[in-house]
């Protein structure tokens, strides 16, 4: 997994995290099922470096076929050689492979960076995800489920083995632990704890990550009266100042996500926040 996040960071020249980029509604499941006839979802991003000055830094296009995402192409500054290509393949409706490649500069050929392979049980539940990098490094995630069909444990087999144990209440994930095996023992050592809180409507309102007894990250979520996410605030390392906030914008006519505005602090020693604006457009077939 660490290779994946390092790779995503290569596609942007700002201090925005991979999580910000992945919040496009096409990937975050916020299109509310409006993908059956969707052909493309396009994301355009600009960054405000100083008052009155905006610079385009990202173009991203998601292409669909019969409701399934088949490609995800990113161009930094709209320059083709500085780009990322993600291709998806399916068996019926189940995702089988996800292949990520990139151009690093004007002289580089398209380089395969990593490939993800997916395997399922007869109930179409994910059993295994295998990530293989171009250098041959492999990480395997194995999934087990409880009697309610919810993910119970995820085992990560890699250079640093991990397991993630999930705990639920009324079908909602309320706690997840990250553990590593104890050397020469059958036991597991607790590394991190994730806790989740929800409102009366079942919307996630808080997420807290504690690692080795230290608060690493906490996120707060706010929704409108239609249950749509309208703001997220993230703090890291128990800082009282938000590392970044994201405000979500919706089209008044269709109700679909129209964009988001991200404000983040590039340096904790500085008071000035930077601002990036993301806008979405959709192309539907007849």
């Amino acid at each position: 997994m660490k290779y994946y996040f390092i790779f995503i960071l290569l596609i942007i020249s700002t201090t925005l995290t991979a999580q910000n980029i992945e919040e496009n509604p096409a990937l975050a499941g916020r299109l509310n099922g409006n993908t059956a006839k969707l052909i493309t979802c396009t994301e355009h991003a600009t960054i405000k470096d100083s008052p009155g000055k905006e610079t385009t830094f990202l173009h991203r296009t998601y292409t669909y076929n019969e409701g399934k995402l088949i490609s995800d192409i990113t161009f930094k500054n709209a320059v083709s050689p500085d780009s990322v290509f993600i291709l998806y393949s399916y068996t019926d409706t189940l995702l089988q492979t996800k292949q990520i490649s990139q151009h690093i500069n004007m002289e580089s050929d398209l380089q395969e960076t990593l490939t993800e392979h997916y395997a399922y049980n007869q109930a179409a539940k994910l059993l295994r995800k295998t990530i293989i990098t171009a250098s041959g490094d492999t990480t395997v995630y194995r999934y087990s489920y409880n009697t309610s069909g919810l993910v119970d444990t995820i085992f990560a087999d890699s250079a640093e083995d991990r397991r993630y144990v999930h705990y639920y209440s009324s079908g909602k994930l309320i706690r997840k632990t990250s553990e590593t095996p104890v050397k020469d023992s059958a036991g597991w050592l607790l590394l991190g704890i994730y806790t989740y809180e929800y409102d009366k409507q079942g919307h996630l309102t808080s997420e807290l990550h504690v690692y080795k007894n230290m608060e690493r990250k906490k996120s707060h979520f706010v929704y409108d009266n239609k249950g749509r996410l309208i703001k997220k605030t993230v703090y890291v390392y128990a800082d009282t100042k938000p590392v970044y906030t994201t405000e979500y914008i919706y089209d008044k006519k269709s109700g679909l996500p129209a964009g988001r505005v991200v404000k983040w602090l590039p340096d904790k020693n500085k008071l000035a926040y930077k601002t990036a604006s993301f806008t979405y457009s959709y192309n539907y077939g007849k």
Side-chain angles (χ1 to χ4, degrees), residues 48-237:
K48 183 178 291 187
D49 295 314
S50 60
K53 181 182 179 181
E54 285 191 341
T55 303
T56 297
F57 77 92
L58 183 73
H59 293 269
R60 192 168 188 174
T61 300
Y62 305 82
T63 303
Y64 284 79
N65 182 29
E66 298 181 347
K68 297 188 293 292
L69 180 64
I70 59 174
S71 71
D72 171 1
I73 301 175
T74 300
F75 298 101
K76 188 177 75 175
N77 298 325
V79 178
S80 178
D82 195 356
S83 56
V84 176
F85 290 75
I86 305 177
L87 303 178
Y88 303 81
S89 66
Y90 299 81
T91 298
D92 295 326
T93 59
L94 296 178
L95 176 64
Q96 296 297 316
T97 63
K98 177 180 178 181
Q99 185 177 11
I100 304 177
S101 306
Q102 72 173 130
H103 282 293
I104 299 176
N105 53 51
M106 292 289 290
E107 290 75 29
S108 71
D109 293 326
L110 191 64
Q111 302 292 322
E112 181 179 336
T113 304
L114 61 83
T115 303
E116 298 180 4
H117 299 271
Y118 301 84
Y120 305 84
N121 62 16
Q122 292 183 342
K125 288 189 174 297
L126 182 63
L127 286 181
R128 188 171 60 256
K129 178 172 73 173
T130 304
I131 302 175
I132 306 174
T133 69
S135 62
D137 294 316
T138 300
T139 299
V140 180
Y141 293 89
R142 295 179 288 113
Y143 297 75
S144 66
Y145 298 84
N146 60 24
T147 55
S148 299
L150 300 172
V151 173
D152 178 56
T153 305
I154 302 175
F155 294 91
D157 302 324
S158 62
E160 298 179 353
D161 291 342
R162 293 284 189 272
R163 76 173 182 182
Y164 303 89
V165 184
H166 298 63
Y167 302 86
Y168 300 88
S169 176
S170 301
K172 292 288 188 181
L173 179 65
I174 58 172
R175 176 184 169 95
K176 180 173 67 176
T177 60
S178 170
E179 304 169 359
T180 189
V182 178
K183 187 177 181 179
D184 300 325
S185 169
W188 291 81
L189 174 67
L190 178 65
L191 293 178
I193 300 174
Y194 302 79
T195 55
Y196 307 88
E197 296 179 357
Y198 304 83
D199 61 20
K200 293 181 180 179
Q201 288 72 41
H203 302 125
L204 178 67
T205 57
S206 176
E207 177 182 355
L208 175 64
H209 178 206
V210 176
Y211 183 77
K212 293 185 177 180
N213 296 320
M214 292 182 60
E215 185 177 294
R216 299 295 294 270
K217 177 183 175 182
K218 58 182 178 181
S219 304
H220 297 284
F221 307 87
V222 179
Y223 303 83
D224 63 13
N225 56 12
K226 295 182 179 180
R228 300 179 302 189
L229 180 64
I230 57 174
K231 186 175 183 178
K232 180 172 73 172
T233 305
V234 177
Y235 304 82
V236 178
Y237 296 106

Side-chain angles (χ1 to χ4, degrees), residues 252-279:
K252 292 182 179 180
K253 184 177 180 179
S254 67
L256 291 174
R260 70 185 188 276
V261 177
V262 181
K263 296 181 180 180
W264 78 101
L265 199 62
D267 187 338
K268 288 187 177 182
N269 296 320
K270 298 179 180 179
L271 297 178
Y273 281 80
K274 287 192 174 183
T275 301
S277 299
F278 299 76
T279 57

